[in-house]
Amino acid sequence: MGGLRLLAVALTCCWWPQGSQGKTLRGSFSSAAARDAQGQSIGHFEFHGDHALLCVRINNIAVAIGKEAKLYLFQAQEWLKLQESSHGYSCSEKLSRAQLTMTMNQTEHNLTVSQIPSPQTWHVFYADKYTCRDDKENSQVEDIPFEMVLLNPDAEGNPFDHFSARESGLHEFFFLLVLVYFVIACIYAQSLWQAIKKGGPMHMILKVLTTALLLQAGSALANYIHFSRYSKDGIGVPFMGSLAEFFDIASQIHMLYLLLSLCMGWTIVRMKKSQSRPLQWDSTPASTGIAVFIVITQSILLLWEQFEDTSHHSYHSHHNLAGILLIILRICLALSLGCGLYQIITVERSTLKREFYITFAKGCILWFLCHPGLMCISILFSDYQRDKVITIGVILCQSVSMVILYRLFLSHSLYWEVSSLSSVTLPLTISSGHKSHFHF
């Protein structure tokens, strides 16, 4: 297990995902970039309410006036229609279809986006008089540095909210999540630490499970710090956003290896156990190889997804090939585990043992299937709500799964009695080298 932790850290550090871009944008309006793409893409934002605001500050007024610099705002649906249209609109025709236009002839410009019945994504493009020309006259034209702030109305209707409609509510959610983790730590940390220090057959399971929980708590705290700063300046702390993703990926890797280790032990070696041996799982080359292979596969897919999509604060929203493959992998793992446990449950006569298997199956299947399930449920929601439904739902479901597993492996009345009844049919523990019984 120690080697796998080092591998997980090495993989993640070698491919550290970058923080997503905030809603306070800084850069330069470039005539060359605008000409090459028929409009320089500046960014997009989900506006909502009646008093949303786009504020732009520039310094070089003379150059902006000389180039007839303008900003063009397109609603996402209208822009998509233009891109997919078979009419073959020219450069100037595309720009003329913008819903809003801003001429930049002052140091600061404020554009109010109002009368939005429901949250909508707006794309912002820059263009000037050289954009739709074929010659190279603008090759030496000076760029225009800018700062753009995108704001939504707050609860009082004033345009002070840096969060887009897609991100609203996440700051409050992570605050509550961190608060819950803190309260739970105050109540249970000491007793859990004592249980881990005692050693015994459950030592490795509790150690890995607790490490995964701490990583999730660290991810929540990093996200809260990032969003707290983001709410004030629209930029946040990109490093903390990346750190949250790192902790989350590491937590996923730890939990996947734990569950696979238990399941592979049951699948591969349960029939080889001696009646006289204590209930333990021996780390055979076959079981370890399968577990490590699947863990590495998921790690690569998670990092691949982060590399391709850095526009969000959480890696839970799968919109690319890597994300789809992750969903398929989780479904396959859940089906494989479910079928195996079903076969055991149907022939098991002991009510106590069946209860253990069923509880264990609930925790594992919830961990694996919460993401695919929430992906399907999110279809019922509006586009701007889907990422929040998936992100919040996955975090809550996986937290519940951890609680189920903690209760299962810490339960004196369930797990320990079941494990003491048989050393053949319940190989769901990791060998810790202890021969004596372990009591909580």
Side-chain angles (χ1 to χ4, degrees), residues 13-320:
C13 289
C14 288
W15 198 348
W16 190 284
Q18 297 298 316
S20 60
Q21 190 178 38
K23 297 311 173 186
T24 296
L25 310 177
R26 296 186 178 95
S28 297
F29 296 129
S30 171
S31 296
R35 184 192 61 211
D36 294 340
Q38 295 187 347
Q40 180 186 2
S41 178
I42 305 302
H44 64 273
F45 192 69
E46 289 81 13
F47 290 109
H48 66 80
D50 292 332
H51 300 287
L53 183 67
L54 183 152
C55 179
V56 182
R57 301 181 184 91
I58 59 176
N59 295 325
N60 202 331
I61 304 298
V63 174
I65 295 176
K67 292 198 297 184
E68 300 177 7
K70 294 182 181 180
L71 290 180
Y72 296 85
L73 276 71
F74 295 84
Q75 291 182 359
Q77 294 180 350
E78 296 300 324
W79 177 250
L80 185 61
K81 289 179 182 178
L82 288 176
Q83 296 297 97
E84 297 178 348
S85 176
S86 59
H87 290 83
Y89 293 107
S90 66
C91 172
S92 57
E93 288 175 334
K94 284 185 178 180
L95 295 177
S96 67
R97 293 179 175 270
Q99 280 71 44
L100 294 172
T101 304
M102 175 192 293
T103 301
M104 291 184 289
N105 52 16
Q106 300 177 12
T107 302
E108 181 172 332
H109 301 76
N110 293 322
L111 177 64
T112 301
V113 184
S114 58
Q115 297 180 351
I116 304 176
S118 61
Q120 298 177 356
T121 300
W122 289 72
H123 293 275
V124 183
F125 292 87
Y126 165 81
D128 53 40
K129 68 180 183 180
Y130 303 108
T131 300
C132 297
R133 294 183 181 179
D134 296 330
D135 55 48
K136 303 294 182 179
E137 180 184 348
N138 66 321
S139 58
Q140 301 298 324
V141 176
E142 184 180 353
D143 293 343
I144 306 173
F146 73 89
E147 179 182 86
M148 181 182 298
V149 181
L150 303 164
L151 298 167
N152 273 318
D154 57 17
E156 299 178 355
N158 300 314
F160 297 144
D161 187 3
H162 288 278
F163 292 104
S164 68
R166 191 178 299 270
E167 300 161 331
S168 62
L170 289 178
H171 182 207
E172 293 79 4
F173 168 73
F174 283 112
F175 169 75
L176 294 176
L177 187 61
V178 170
L179 181 62
V180 169
Y181 277 128
F182 177 75
V183 172
I184 291 176
C186 292
I187 298 174
Y188 296 106
Q190 184 176 0
S191 57
L192 181 59
W193 175 247
Q194 291 175 352
I196 294 175
K197 285 179 63 178
K198 288 181 180 179
M202 290 296 95
H203 173 73
M204 183 59 71
I205 292 178
L206 294 177
K207 187 176 179 180
V208 177
L209 192 58
T210 302
T211 300
L213 180 62
L214 290 175
L215 287 169
Q216 279 202 339
S219 175
L221 178 60
N223 268 318
Y224 172 68
I225 294 172
H226 171 71
F227 280 117
S228 295
R229 180 69 176 272
Y230 187 92
S231 65
K232 299 176 181 178
D233 61 10
I235 298 176
V237 186
F239 170 76
M240 297 305 294
S242 296
L243 190 63
E245 293 172 354
F246 169 77
F247 284 153
D248 214 343
I249 291 175
S251 174
Q252 298 288 326
I253 292 172
H254 275 74
M255 282 298 296
L256 179 62
Y257 185 79
L258 171 64
L259 298 180
L260 285 176
S261 296
L262 298 173
C263 297
M264 290 301 103
W266 163 73
T267 303
I268 293 177
V269 302
R270 80 178 180 90
M271 298 307 297
K272 298 181 181 179
K273 289 187 176 295
S274 170
Q275 291 280 354
S276 62
R277 297 190 60 185
L279 179 63
Q280 295 175 343
W281 170 56
D282 295 322
S283 181
T284 65
S287 62
T288 301
I290 293 174
V292 171
F293 173 77
I294 296 177
V295 167
I296 292 177
T297 301
Q298 172 168 291
S299 303
I300 293 173
L301 291 175
L302 287 169
L303 296 171
W304 177 14
E305 183 199 19
Q306 287 302 303
F307 181 78
E308 289 196 355
D309 185 6
T310 59
S311 62
H312 52 79
H313 297 290
S314 174
Y315 76 98
H316 292 300
S317 304
H318 298 326
H319 300 300
N320 49 36

